[in-house]
Amino acid sequence: MGPLTMFEQVEAAASAVRGRCGELPRTAIVLGSGLGDFADTLLDAVSTPYGDLPHWPASTVVGHAGRLVVGTVHGRRVAALAGRAHFYEGHDLSTVVFATRVMARLGVRELILTNAAGGINTSFAQGALMLIDDHINLLGSNPLVGPNDERFGARFPDMSEVYSRRLRGIANQVAAARGITLDHGVYAALHGPSYETPAEIRYLRAIGADAVGMSTVPEAIAARHMDVEVLGISCITNMAAGVLPQPLVHDEVMETARRVRGSFIALLEGIISAL
Ligand code: HPA
């Protein structure tokens, strides 16, 4: 027997999840750096370390616990993914989107992608939450590179509305009803892991980016490939390089994410209850 195809690996992980997580999730949420606490708010939860799921990539970053929690929020079954694989860890993008593919094969219809990001738009404050309207892929690659497996989706998927207008509408309504300020803008994804230079940030601003980070775009592309609806939320954990006269440090990213924990969790809960 030859090596398993990506499709077979995804199916193996999906059946492992089916075997242990009770009622299957309809919505999945990827929790970004420092935003993992939401996973602890789920009821009737089954928590599985990524290492216990076949073929699942391990997460090596501080602040990414690396567990799948399937549980209930306002009567709705959801999967919370605390920890994700990043391109900068050395994974192929096909590995980076493994979890996304498993979620889609489990029958998830909406994927909420969250991340920590640097603020390029100077009207943003540190700690702001930004709804992702659209993205710019500057990773230098794409998770769909290579032979296309039609069981996942079409060769040339449309990207004209990656971030669902319907889900953005719901997020805006929930934020307004709960008094949570929600900015919106374009997210640019870079390979990392070094942060950007001030010149790179000026370049990103010139091409229309409002926030910058090192994740989310691969998962969004793979989700659209599999016809899953996507919502993206960035926590602006810091102003991007050169905006303020100070260096960027990962600790600041984690600290800001923890500070907005309350409104972030309230926003997610509200969105899930409105789905
Ligand atoms: N740049 C890139 N990625 C990030 C940043 C940043 O300023 N902050 C959090 N993730």
Side-chain angles (χ1 to χ4, degrees):
M1 215 176 74
L4 294 182
T5 64
M6 181 57 73
F7 185 80
E8 288 162 339
Q9 293 179 36
V10 165
E11 287 297 291
S15 58
V17 175
R18 270 188 217 104
R20 55 173 298 148
C21 290
E23 196 193 329
L24 290 175
R26 297 172 52 196
T27 304
I29 306 160
V30 179
L31 299 164
S33 301
L35 303 168
D37 288 352
F38 177 77
D40 300 323
T41 69
L42 273 50
L43 302 176
D44 302 318
V46 181
S47 178
T48 308
Y50 289 162
D52 291 357
L53 294 166
H55 314 294
W56 202 288
S59 160
T60 63
V61 196
V62 178
H64 291 267
R67 62 197 170 113
L68 167 67
V69 183
V70 178
T72 303
V73 180
H74 293 289
R76 193 179 183 86
R77 203 68 177 161
V78 304
L81 294 117
R84 58 151 59 94
H86 297 86
F87 199 24
Y88 63 72
E89 293 175 85
H91 301 293
D92 289 341
L93 285 183
S94 61
T95 305
V96 168
V97 301
F98 184 83
T100 299
R101 296 227 184 271
V102 173
M103 291 299 117
R105 294 297 300 175
L106 283 173
V108 158
R109 299 306 305 148
E110 299 108 9
L111 178 66
I112 304 177
L113 297 168
T114 73
N115 60 55
I120 296 174
N121 185 326
T122 53
S123 76
F124 293 166
Q126 190 178 13
L129 296 176
M130 184 194 90
L131 203 55
I132 303 178
D133 290 330
D134 203 350
H135 74 223
I136 301 176
N137 178 12
L138 296 173
L139 295 169
S141 190
N142 187 296
L144 310 185
V145 165
N148 186 59
D149 192 327
E150 294 280 335
R151 291 170 292 185
F152 288 134
R155 172 77 288 188
F156 300 110
D158 174 51
M159 292 287 138
S160 50
E161 191 188 312
V162 175
Y163 302 89
S164 155
R165 199 169 284 283
R166 181 183 82 90
L167 295 180
R168 280 184 282 148
I170 290 173
N172 278 320
Q173 277 171 12
V174 167
R178 300 195 175 209
I180 299 165
T181 306
L182 192 53
D183 290 309
H184 65 100
V186 172
Y187 175 91
L190 269 65
H191 195 316
S194 55
Y195 288 121
E196 301 70 37
T197 63
E200 287 165 344
I201 295 302
R202 290 192 298 274
Y203 159 76
L204 292 173
R205 186 178 295 121
I207 65 170
D210 298 291
V212 59
M214 306 172 193
S215 69
T216 301
V217 164
E219 294 113 306
I221 293 171
R224 293 311 299 139
H225 186 224
M226 298 181 80
D227 207 25
V228 171
E229 223 180 332
V230 176
L231 183 70
I233 304 169
S234 291
C235 173
I236 305 299
T237 52
N238 56 280
M239 294 315 290
V243 174
L244 302 174
Q246 64 196 39
L248 268 56
V249 285
H250 183 61
D251 285 350
E252 182 187 10
V253 169
M254 300 302 292
E255 211 174 280
T256 308
R258 269 186 224 109
R259 180 159 63 72
V260 304
R261 181 185 178 281
S263 51
F264 177 75
I265 288 175
L267 179 64
L268 283 183
E269 267 180 18
I271 291 168
I272 291 161
S273 68
L275 286 175

